[in-house]
Amino acid sequence: MHKGSYEAKRALLVAVSYALIIFFAVSMVMPFLWMVSTSLKALNQVFTMPPQWIPRPPRWENYIRIFELMDFGRYWLNTAIVTLGRMAGQFIFCTLAAYAFARLNFPGRNLLFFLLLGSLMVPFETLMVPTFVLMKELGWINTYWALIVPHGLGAFGGAFLVFLLRQFFLTIPKEFEESAIIDGASPLRIFWSIMLPLARPALAALLIFSFRGAWNDFTYPLIVTNTDDMKVLSLGILGFKGLRAGMTQWHLMMGAATLSILPMIFVFLIAQKYFIEGITVGGLKE
Amino acid sequence: MSWWKIALVGLLILLMGWGLLAAQKISLMMWGGAVEEKEVRGYLAAFNEVYPDIQVEIIRPADYWPKLMAMIAAGTPPDVFYMGFPEFVTYHKMGALFDLQSYVEATPDFNTLDFFPGTLDAFRDRETGHLYGVPKDWSTYVVYYNVEMFEEAGLPTPNELFGYGKWSWFDLLEVAKKLTKDIDGDGKIDVYGFAYNFPGRWKLLPPAFGAKWVQAPEKVVVDTPEFAEAIQFLADLALVHKVMPGVTELAEMSAPDWFANQKAAMFICGRWMTMKFKTLPFKWDIAPVPYYRRMYTWVDLVAYCVAKDSKNPDAAWKLVNFLTGPKGQEMVAQAGHAIPIRMSVAHSPAFIEALPELGIHNSVHLIPITTAPITVFDHWGEIWTAINRGLEPVWTGEKKAAEVLPEIQAEIDRILAEG
Amino acid sequence: MFARLRRYKYQQWFWGYLFVIPVMAGFFLFMVYPMISGIALSFYQWPGIGPKEWVGVANYLKMFRDVHFLRAVGNTVYYTLGILVLGVPLALFWAILLNQKFLKGRNFFRLIYFLPTVTMMAAVSMVWKWLLSPNYGLVNYFLGLVGLPKVNWLLDPKWAMPGLILMSIWKGTGFNMVIFLAGLQGIPKTYYEAAEIDGATAWHKFRYITLPLLSPTTFFVIITTMITSFQIFQQAYILTEGGPREATTTIVFYIYKNAFEWFKMGYSCAQSVFLLLVLILATLIQWRIQRRWVHYA
């Protein structure tokens, strides 16, 4: 084979790869751009073909209108409270459990761990009704308790976080704790002063997963909350869904979507390294 | 500071504390948009002038019925809530509603004869005759039309046509044809003669075409030639005559938006649209809906109900009584949200001359072209779902109405038989 | 020193239980208990308030005669297959594409591809409702540019589900891509170097090195994707409300409707139990057959 033809082939391959990569990248970003663009138009500008990408003039007042039409501040506040509450709970309890499962020997450890892992097969969607009934019995319907406590204790997906952290703790060499044990440190102490500092990247991943899960949660709050003042963002923006109300105010709907998507993207861009590390830790090892 | 000043301050604090303790809190659950809520806040402000110690919290969920049911099931129902006359049957059967009869009897100025005939009966227990809800207001469907477009085209308005006795559904079609325009000549229609949310509100037509489709609570008959004719006529407005936005167009812009953006000359809906259209930058008016073999318009009737588990039924009743009383109903008249339920208010200038700046014929709503609301049938929600779903191929033109109605009938019979 | 080690052994018991108690409590109270009470409830008829009426297995029998439920099962399978057949290979393709050494700005592109997965499904669904709208939707606009006919995405029963699948692929493929990327990076380079010396083509390297060595990752991706796809709800709830003509009524959507719109709590629990069994069964079957094609290095 001629060297030249090999290089030509290779150049072609590179060119095709780049073309594909850019094509897909554009498809990924376009919906976001279109969302923002639509949110800055007047309603009659929305209905134009071919599409007009840059709204002229951009109508920032659409956003003021959104805040008039719905209690966005309240939805944000609720989402923030729920997200922080769940993150705190999962950070503490899932980490502790993960450490115990990874490093402490106690009878029944493996059984409990596999039970917990098995819960990953039980999505919340199959428990909608009994969860509603349970929350009703606890008197938690339409309260922050219902929104925070179960997830904070690692139910509905927390098992994944336990798994993630356990995998990480397993990779830490035993020597780190052995000298501490000989010095008479208790497991709590070892956990606190040796394991936690070492686990920082994994903890970052945990926090981000926890954040993403809580911020985007939809079905669960749909079931356990009723009133507008307890709504989280994902439910609140449906005030614009409007099939039933017969509304098709696309510019306002896109504005509301923008306001609920942007914070998450912002956090992601800051913390993306841990994000991707977290997935790979969870996905790699069976 | 002398002793009496201290005593005065003490007394003040005591009074304030007593006032706080005496303040009662109840909740009112409503549907509708932010505009309606603003209106209701106005009613509540007036209520608090009379009853300053009752605080009313508004609950306005995006999906009203599932949430109401969930709150009742959770044991935390709102004290007062909206209730449509069809849904009333289900909720009453479930035992979720408060028996208001004793309150009605203990309230001398609650004049039952002042309510439009039949409207109270829709919310009574069929055996005991006890009242379980007080109608808050009602609404008939009317034609909203863009006066400027009619003037420009040199056409007689729907009100004039109604006066000449030339306002059948087929007359509407002829008018709509003249008003439908492709302004820029690109083959796409820019202005429609008529816009209507027909996939959800086809119910306006069959009775006008002579179909008696709700014959009893357990007898719903849609597989008749008249029903098919009505549905086909409605579908053909979009499919054949192209004078009305079809399903696809409505998915992008809702029927009221077609009218509000001056892209449709006529539009049919209930009174609540008047409130939304108040600020439109063009002149519009309302006219009676067309007729055919019969005169018919759809009536929406909504009541305030009190929850059986309400912790404060006294306060709830005070709210209901105030809102449905003469004062409350006058505010309803002014809002353009619905027709007052009390005849004394509906026939007074408060309603007839409401919203003078719009110059619309409010009295159109009172033309008695139908006597009572449609008979309620069992399994209301499921049967509506079945009919709406079954009609979908008709709206898209894949099937004729006469083809799908037997299937729909079979589904209805199945639902009713299952019980 | 040995005393300390021995003491530590018992300390481990104490602290071990203490550390797992919160999570296990959450697990038993909020997952196991509802699961059991849900199974119990599936034998009753109950509208959410008032007394429950025992109906035995009637709910289960009804389920298999309910055309709407069967349609929901069919729709869910359709959706899941769509994601597995189109989404998973696409994720692998992306991973390979973004794993090329010559590629400049790899991390930047990975970020972009991953972006949709961090966003809120509720908001994204609203955005896609607009993107897929028939006359002014961006998707149809681009179809028109390349000379394809307009599709009435969410209003045509034939196209509504493909519309949902398209959106879900956009939203979720980046996640699987990252897992595949990690898997690819775990394959020792020496294999490829050896193959290159033997003059293997790119396809051969892919077929005989990448695919087999990646199979544990692929297995993981398929299982998790299947489980999450079977739970599809939000897209159907927000974009299409189950329509048109039930074309997007999925199992979970139908469960939701039965429970919270028609208040047939018992019936909807029976459907939930069915869904749960399907998920468990599918996972078990996957575990069984994986031995035939998954190679653990």
Side-chain angles (χ1 to χ4, degrees):
Chain A
M1 198 185 277
H2 290 286
K3 196 156 189 265
S5 88
Y6 172 77
E7 272 176 2
K9 247 171 123 177
R10 188 168 164 77
L12 184 72
L13 185 75
V14 170
V16 170
S17 301
Y18 268 110
L20 281 171
I21 286 166
I22 288 166
F23 166 77
F24 284 122
V26 170
S27 332
M28 288 295 106
V29 176
M30 190 110 67
F32 293 124
L33 298 179
W34 188 235
M35 167 184 83
V36 175
S37 158
T38 305
S39 78
L40 294 173
K41 291 177 183 171
L43 187 59
N44 56 9
Q45 283 176 302
V46 162
F47 298 108
T48 47
M49 264 297 145
Q52 202 185 352
W53 281 93
I54 309 217
R56 260 183 294 250
R59 290 173 53 99
W60 299 102
E61 59 267 36
N62 285 350
Y63 283 89
I64 297 170
R65 181 103 183 95
I66 289 169
F67 277 91
E68 280 169 10
L69 281 175
M70 50 198 256
D71 205 349
F72 227 95
R74 182 80 208 196
Y75 304 152
W76 271 30
L77 180 71
N78 285 340
T79 310
I81 292 173
V82 171
T83 305
L84 286 177
R86 285 189 191 178
M87 281 169 79
Q90 289 176 336
F91 182 80
I92 298 168
F93 298 123
C94 293
T95 316
L96 282 175
Y99 172 64
F101 283 130
R103 281 302 222 245
L104 301 178
N105 273 309
F106 53 92
R109 181 181 76 165
N110 288 344
L111 177 74
L112 289 180
F113 181 64
F114 282 111
L115 270 180
L116 195 66
L117 262 198
S119 78
L120 282 176
M121 274 199 297
V122 184
F124 168 70
E125 277 74 4
T126 61
L127 300 177
M128 287 195 293
V129 173
T131 301
F132 174 77
V133 175
L134 173 66
M135 291 302 154
K136 175 184 154 179
E137 283 162 1
L138 291 170
W140 284 5
I141 291 286
N142 214 31
T143 63
Y144 288 121
W145 297 109
L147 287 171
I148 295 172
V149 174
H151 294 77
L153 288 179
F156 309 123
F160 174 71
L161 302 175
V162 175
F163 176 70
L164 187 114
L165 261 283
R166 174 182 172 268
Q167 298 303 93
F168 187 85
F169 284 133
L170 285 177
T171 63
I172 297 177
K174 281 238 192 286
E175 292 83 59
F176 279 94
E177 45 190 328
E178 266 164 9
S179 58
I181 294 173
I182 291 164
D183 289 347
S186 73
L188 180 65
R189 221 200 126 88
I190 293 173
F191 170 74
W192 183 254
S193 45
I194 299 178
M195 287 300 183
L196 273 191
L198 284 174
R200 237 178 248 148
L203 290 175
L206 176 137
L207 282 179
I208 289 161
F209 270 96
S210 175
F211 182 85
R212 171 177 176 261
W215 189 268
N216 295 342
D217 195 9
F218 175 81
T219 316
Y220 184 80
L222 177 73
I223 305 289
V224 301
T225 60
N226 289 324
T227 59
D228 206 49
D229 61 336
M230 283 305 294
K231 268 187 195 152
V232 292
L233 265 179
S234 59
L235 292 179
I237 54 170
L238 288 196
F240 278 122
K241 184 180 77 155
L243 259 188
R244 290 190 182 89
M247 294 284 263
T248 40
Q249 310 275 331
W250 298 107
H251 55 320
L252 301 181
M253 289 165 63
M254 293 306 108
T258 308
L259 288 174
S260 40
I261 282 179
L262 280 188
M264 197 62 224
I265 289 189
F266 188 66
V267 169
F268 168 65
L269 291 180
I270 293 173
Q272 35 98 6
K273 188 176 132 226
Y274 299 112
F275 228 120
I276 293 186
E277 267 172 20
I279 299 182
T280 45
V281 172
L284 261 183
K285 302 175 182 87
E286 279 301 299
Chain B
M1 205 190 289
S2 55
W3 65 272
W4 61 269
K5 278 187 185 162
I6 298 173
L8 197 67
V9 170
L11 194 69
L12 264 174
I13 291 173
L14 252 174
L15 272 174
M16 276 164 68
W18 182 75
L20 277 177
L21 281 179
Q24 306 166 62
K25 215 171 171 186
I26 55 171
S27 53
L28 166 66
M29 181 145 140
M30 61 175 292
W31 60 61
V35 193
E36 277 100 331
E37 183 175 329
K38 217 173 124 198
E39 213 56 64
V40 171
R41 287 196 188 283
Y43 303 168
L44 292 181
F47 172 69
N48 280 337
E49 281 171 21
V50 187
Y51 299 99
D53 55 341
I54 302 178
Q55 286 177 27
V56 186
E57 175 204 14
I58 293 183
I59 305 174
R60 184 172 60 87
D63 41 355
Y64 186 83
W65 295 109
K67 279 305 163 209
L68 176 60
M69 192 60 131
M71 289 171 82
I72 291 172
T76 54
D79 294 287
V80 182
F81 44 88
Y82 288 14
M83 179 59 59
F85 69 92
E87 291 87 359
F88 169 77
V89 181
T90 318
Y91 280 80
H92 177 45
K93 205 194 274 173
M94 217 187 312
L97 307 179
F98 196 92
D99 184 348
L100 297 171
Q101 193 63 28
S102 57
Y103 282 112
V104 171
E105 282 160 13
T107 312
D109 62 348
F110 188 85
N111 179 6
T112 52
L113 294 175
D114 193 20
F115 285 81
F116 273 92
T119 54
L120 278 172
D121 298 333
F123 301 99
R124 286 187 197 280
D125 183 276
R126 281 179 199 157
E127 275 155 36
T128 62
H130 284 195
L131 199 66
Y132 282 81
V134 185
K136 67 186 264 289
D137 50 41
W138 62 300
S139 183
T140 49
Y141 278 29
V142 290
V143 176
Y144 289 81
Y145 63 96
N146 185 322
V147 176
E148 293 168 15
M149 285 190 188
F150 274 84
E151 277 170 4
E152 218 168 275
L155 291 169
T157 66
N159 274 325
E160 288 163 354
L161 289 168
F162 183 76
Y164 306 153
K166 276 188 182 294
W167 190 233
S168 77
W169 277 99
F170 295 89
D171 295 320
L172 176 136
L173 168 61
E174 289 313 311
V175 174
K177 277 182 185 165
K178 288 177 192 144
L179 289 162
T180 301
K181 277 181 237 146
D182 172 13
I183 296 169
D184 50 14
D186 62 351
K188 247 168 90 176
I189 293 164
D190 301 299
V191 177
Y192 284 97
F194 178 52
Y196 187 47
N197 177 17
F198 58 95
R201 302 194 200 271
W202 49 265
K203 59 196 180 189
L204 185 58
L205 274 84
F209 278 63
K212 292 195 185 74
W213 63 287
V214 186
Q215 301 183 352
E218 66 290 344
K219 195 164 181 217
V220 178
V221 184
V222 298
D223 189 14
T224 58
E226 292 85 11
F227 199 97
E229 190 187 357
I231 296 295
Q232 198 60 52
F233 173 81
L234 189 54
D236 287 348
L237 288 181
L239 297 169
V240 177
H241 308 294
K242 299 193 166 51
V243 296
M244 172 177 84
V247 187
T248 310
E249 285 74 25
L250 287 184
E252 279 167 340
M253 185 152 50
S254 65
D257 282 339
W258 280 96
F259 181 77
N261 287 309
Q262 306 193 56
K263 285 165 173 286
M266 293 180 283
F267 164 67
I268 291 183
C269 204
R271 174 72 175 173
W272 59 91
M273 275 302 162
T274 296
M275 185 167 66
K276 298 218 167 98
F277 290 166
K278 262 186 210 170
T279 52
L280 291 186
F282 58 88
K283 195 164 161 26
W284 54 274
D285 200 352
I286 52 176
V289 290
Y291 41 79
Y292 179 35
R293 297 196 179 97
R294 270 183 65 201
M295 273 190 164
Y296 176 80
T297 187
W298 177 268
V299 176
D300 269 328
L301 175 61
V302 180
Y304 291 115
C305 285
V306 176
K308 186 166 198 180
D309 297 336
S310 168
K311 294 193 179 58
N312 200 342
D314 287 352
W317 169 255
K318 280 177 189 154
L319 177 66
V320 171
N321 188 35
F322 176 83
L323 292 175
T324 60
K327 184 119 192 266
Q329 289 298 303
E330 268 172 37
M331 289 187 291
V332 169
Q334 295 295 334
H337 173 261
I339 310 169
I341 197 70
R342 288 186 175 267
M343 290 187 284
S344 60
V345 182
H347 291 296
S348 78
F351 178 69
I352 306 282
E353 290 162 20
L355 307 166
E357 68 279 12
L358 298 178
I360 57 173
H361 294 83
N362 292 314
S363 53
V364 160
H365 280 286
L366 300 175
I367 295 173
I369 47 184
T370 181
T371 47
I374 190 170
T375 316
V376 177
F377 45 82
D378 296 344
H379 300 280
W380 183 264
E382 261 182 292
I383 289 183
W384 277 117
T385 308
I387 303 178
N388 284 338
R389 188 171 57 223
L391 290 178
E392 278 181 41
V394 182
W395 308 134
T396 55
E398 287 157 68
K399 286 186 180 165
K400 293 282 171 204
E403 288 174 72
V404 299
L405 288 176
E407 296 164 25
I408 299 175
Q409 188 66 52
E411 177 90 358
I412 292 172
D413 293 343
R414 189 188 60 74
I415 295 170
L416 285 172
E418 247 178 36
Chain C
M1 191 182 116
F2 287 110
R4 278 185 180 164
L5 279 181
R6 198 174 310 119
R7 197 174 62 123
Y8 190 74
K9 188 183 161 198
Y10 293 104
Q11 270 187 332
Q12 285 188 50
W13 287 31
F14 172 73
W15 290 105
Y17 285 123
L18 198 66
F19 284 0
V20 299
I21 274 175
V23 165
M24 291 321 287
F27 168 68
F28 280 106
L29 178 59
F30 297 112
M31 299 197 77
V32 176
Y33 170 71
M35 208 159 99
I36 292 167
S37 69
I39 293 171
L41 208 50
S42 72
F43 297 104
Y44 288 89
Q45 192 178 333
W46 185 48
I49 56 173
K52 304 180 178 91
E53 185 194 337
W54 173 267
V55 292
V57 292
N59 285 329
Y60 288 90
L61 296 178
K62 185 176 166 192
M63 195 158 83
F64 294 105
R65 276 182 281 116
D66 180 349
V67 283
H68 307 295
F69 177 72
L70 296 177
R71 202 169 296 156
V73 173
N75 290 336
T76 310
V77 171
Y78 178 14
Y79 173 83
T80 305
L81 284 179
I83 299 289
L84 286 179
V85 169
L86 301 173
V88 173
L90 185 67
L92 177 58
F93 182 63
W94 283 3
I96 291 172
L97 214 53
L98 291 181
N99 201 33
Q100 299 302 323
K101 278 173 268 138
F102 61 77
L103 186 64
K104 296 222 167 53
R106 273 197 298 193
N107 286 335
F108 171 73
F109 283 116
R110 287 178 189 175
L111 215 63
I112 298 279
Y113 283 38
F114 192 71
L115 205 54
T117 66
V118 302
T119 56
M120 186 183 280
M121 181 60 99
V124 161
S125 295
M126 278 180 14
V127 174
W128 275 80
K129 191 167 189 172
W130 177 226
L131 286 170
L132 291 173
S133 94
N135 291 320
Y136 300 98
L138 213 50
V139 174
N140 270 354
Y141 171 70
F142 285 117
L143 287 183
L145 281 190
V146 293
L148 290 170
K150 267 188 197 170
V151 174
N152 212 345
W153 288 102
L154 301 174
L155 298 166
D156 183 334
K158 280 197 299 293
W159 286 102
M161 192 53 101
L164 290 201
I165 293 174
L166 183 68
M167 178 188 95
S168 304
I169 286 179
W170 175 84
K171 169 93 169 70
T173 304
F175 197 87
N176 286 340
M177 174 197 76
V178 171
I179 298 178
F180 274 128
L181 268 173
L184 286 176
Q185 280 153 12
I187 300 176
K189 291 198 178 55
T190 46
Y191 287 110
Y192 293 107
E193 285 158 12
E196 264 160 37
I197 291 165
D198 292 345
T201 63
W203 166 249
H204 276 112
K205 280 190 280 183
F206 174 72
R207 174 70 187 79
Y208 296 106
I209 300 174
T210 311
L211 265 191
L213 289 177
L214 203 59
S215 54
T217 312
T218 314
F219 170 69
F220 177 84
V221 167
I222 287 178
I223 291 265
T224 50
T225 307
M226 197 188 68
I227 291 180
T228 46
S229 302
F230 246 85
Q231 302 158 28
I232 174 190
F233 169 68
Q234 283 192 55
Q235 297 96 311
Y237 181 85
I238 298 168
L239 258 86
T240 54
E241 297 193 58
R245 271 174 264 170
E246 293 190 326
T248 57
T249 299
T250 61
I251 298 178
V252 176
F253 184 80
Y254 195 61
I255 291 175
Y256 175 83
K257 267 210 126 47
N258 269 289
F260 297 99
E261 286 189 14
W262 302 330
F263 277 72
K264 300 178 175 177
M265 293 292 192
Y267 187 37
S268 104
C269 279
Q271 293 164 11
S272 299
V273 173
F274 170 82
L275 174 62
L276 190 59
L277 288 179
V278 168
L279 287 178
I280 292 174
L281 202 70
T283 314
L284 290 181
I285 291 174
Q286 290 271 20
W287 275 108
R288 299 285 299 181
I289 56 175
Q290 63 149 325
R291 288 190 203 130
R292 303 219 189 110
W293 62 278
V294 175
H295 304 254
Y296 288 101

